[in-house]
Amino acid sequence: MPYEVKTDADFAPLRNDLLIRAARGEETERAPAWVMRQAGRYLPEFMELRKSHTFFECCQTPALSAELTLQPIRRYSGLIDAAIIFCDILVVPQAMGLVVEMTPGPYLPEPINTPADMDRLTKDVDINETLGYVFEAITLTRQQLKGEVPLIGFCGAPFTLFSYMVEGGGTKTFQKSKSWLFKWPKETAELLDRIAVVCADLLVGQVKAGAQMVQIFDSWAGELTPYHFTTFALPPLLKISSLFRSKLTALGITPPPIILFAKGANSSLELLSKSGAFDVLALDWCITAEEAKVITGGRVALQGNADPLCLYGGKEGIEEEVKRVCAGFIGEGKGPKGWISNLGHGITPQVLPEDMKWYLECVKKYSSRKE
Ligand code: 1CP
């Protein structure tokens, strides 16, 4: 099914552009705040809706996806500065022909065990045919947001998706992923490259449908040595960025900012910041703002990086952590510049919604520009 390209003129004007300005490296009156995995998980209204729908039904039904995306925006209105589309990174392996179940974590009953299994993957994935529902969800959500905050689209990074595709689900040891890397480096690179093409098309489709920024989640990047990150994970990430920018430019669309979250790959931050491929680098909690600013030298905007588990610290604990992180990013300046406030990884399921609210209130308080 062909999809019409949506432009800003098709939607209500954006009333809060803090996120977009910060992603461009500009000064903002306070740091834009959003939280990875802010939809779903810990929200009672999500759990209520999940009782009557499977996880993938929620992703594949645009009205449900839009509703779930909007839940945190409604609950934290005035405190939260971005929406992220309700979906999952594993829709890409599905589009490539693999079965993915949520039981409750991801389970792929027929993983790619050896290079010969790559023949089972769809060649030339038709993105509109397979993932058109994501694009419909984006358009519907952007309409329903009525310009309140920008909408972020996303995908998983090739290495992270590769690990699910060969392991058959989540893993603590990465035994199969590493076997591939060391036994079949050429085929690993080939598979990563094929995944990158689908990721790029997914991101392009999301922007055509109305997404105003995109994030690539490389949740398992830190499992790699810096050498293997550079050799295997980085080339397909660069490919996503260049395909994303060139395909959108060819359509007459200005490519929106790309956020890369390469969790655990802090020793590659300098390289990533110099690559020119990413507008924002999202940081995990294992690096200080001061260090990250020096390493990235103002070449990119930064996102992060409170410890996600500070949300279990009670009011005082949360406030202290937010204060610390804000002081680190703002430094000697009067206010934030090129900084998007976030956690260093996703919010976890047992967090109380009121603690998340307090966290956002603290971000607003401690990141506001001083006269
Ligand atoms: O039962 C349920 O409802 C499943 C819980 C759930 C949810 C709410 C999963 C299963 N995925 C999601 C949605 C999701 N996933 C979003 C959008 C909504 C939101 O804001 O939460 C996003 C951005 C993701 C991204 C995602 N999925 C990542 C990258 C970010 C990260 O946390 O590192 C990863 C690794 C996944 C895989 C995945 N999907 C679901 C689970 C439980 C997992 C992780 C499993 C594992 O640790 O291997």
Side-chain angles (χ1 to χ4, degrees):
M1 192 177 24
Y3 283 86
E4 235 179 90
V5 175
K6 297 283 184 296
T7 67
D8 285 346
D10 294 304
F11 302 104
L14 186 58
R15 284 176 276 134
N16 173 346
D17 65 352
L18 283 171
L19 181 83
I20 315 278
R21 282 156 48 209
R24 288 197 208 111
E26 295 171 18
E27 287 185 354
T28 49
E29 46 283 20
R30 61 182 174 84
W34 71 282
V35 165
M36 290 190 273
R37 314 294 302 270
Q38 67 189 23
R41 290 188 147 191
Y42 64 105
L43 286 180
E45 53 270 42
F46 163 73
M47 290 175 233
E48 192 53 41
L49 201 138
R50 270 285 276 116
K51 284 186 193 156
S52 43
H53 302 278
T54 67
F55 176 72
F56 282 114
E57 249 169 54
C58 293
C59 297
Q60 289 162 7
T61 313
L64 293 177
S65 167
E67 166 59 24
L68 292 170
T69 305
L70 290 171
Q71 283 180 348
I73 308 305
R74 274 189 217 119
R75 192 184 260 270
Y76 304 118
S77 180
L79 293 170
I80 203 159
D81 303 297
I84 178 158
I85 193 68
F86 188 91
C87 190
D88 196 79
I89 61 168
L90 293 159
V91 300
V92 163
Q94 286 178 329
M96 296 177 82
L98 292 182
V99 172
V100 182
E101 296 163 9
M102 282 293 170
T103 64
Y107 171 60
L108 292 78
E110 293 170 318
I112 304 297
N113 291 312
T114 68
D117 290 336
M118 281 162 67
D119 290 342
R120 284 199 271 119
L121 296 173
T122 312
K123 292 198 180 58
D124 303 319
V125 171
D126 180 334
I127 207 76
N128 292 329
E129 183 78 29
T130 52
L131 297 179
Y133 64 84
V134 182
F135 310 145
E136 285 172 30
I138 291 267
T139 303
L140 186 64
T141 307
R142 175 116 182 240
Q143 283 163 348
Q144 293 185 358
L145 275 167
K146 298 192 173 77
E148 182 171 345
V149 291
L151 177 60
I152 304 174
F154 74 90
C155 71
F159 173 69
T160 291
L161 294 173
F162 161 88
S163 81
Y164 283 103
M165 288 164 72
V166 305
E167 303 277 354
T171 174
K172 286 201 163 67
T173 61
F174 291 84
Q175 189 184 324
K176 294 178 183 168
S177 320
K178 293 294 178 84
S179 303
W180 264 76
L181 243 78
F182 290 103
K183 255 190 201 161
W184 305 304
K186 197 172 127 285
E187 291 84 354
T188 297
E190 189 187 322
L191 180 49
L192 287 167
D193 188 77
R194 283 178 63 178
I195 299 169
V197 173
V198 185
C199 291
D201 283 342
L202 173 58
L203 294 183
V204 167
Q206 291 181 79
V207 172
K208 284 164 65 181
Q212 289 146 295
M213 200 172 297
V214 295
Q215 176 159 320
I216 307 172
F217 287 90
D218 210 349
S219 304
W220 309 138
E223 297 298 326
L224 297 169
T225 69
Y227 169 77
H228 293 96
F229 178 81
T230 310
T231 308
F232 290 100
L234 186 58
L237 286 169
L238 297 178
K239 179 157 184 161
I240 294 177
S241 169
S242 71
L243 283 175
F244 175 77
R245 288 174 177 168
S246 62
K247 287 191 177 196
L248 286 171
T249 305
L251 288 166
I253 302 170
T254 306
I258 305 175
I259 308 169
L260 172 67
F261 175 52
K263 183 177 177 294
N266 290 332
S267 54
S268 300
L269 274 183
E270 184 174 358
L271 183 68
L272 289 169
S273 71
K274 286 181 173 164
S275 72
F278 313 103
D279 303 274
V280 184
L281 293 178
L283 307 170
D284 64 25
W285 66 91
C286 301
I287 186 165
T288 63
E290 291 85 347
E291 273 180 281
K293 282 195 286 188
V294 170
I295 294 171
T296 56
R299 291 177 290 271
V300 288
L302 295 171
Q303 175 174 285
N305 72 340
D307 184 336
L309 300 193
C310 78
L311 287 160
Y312 296 108
K315 279 196 142 190
E316 266 178 48
I318 294 170
E319 184 163 0
E320 277 311 302
E321 174 66 353
V322 171
K323 211 167 150 179
R324 181 187 73 81
V325 172
C326 289
F329 281 99
I330 295 169
E332 300 303 306
K334 286 193 168 173
K337 182 172 185 295
W339 173 46
I340 300 166
S341 159
N342 208 313
L343 300 174
H345 196 188
I347 184 170
T348 51
Q350 274 75 42
V351 170
L352 301 174
E354 57 266 34
D355 286 335
M356 163 78 159
K357 180 160 185 255
W358 175 246
Y359 161 85
L360 293 168
E361 283 167 352
C362 291
V363 173
K364 195 166 189 173
K365 176 171 171 192
Y366 291 103
S367 75
S368 288
R369 197 177 164 76
K370 295 174 208 74
E371 267 326 295

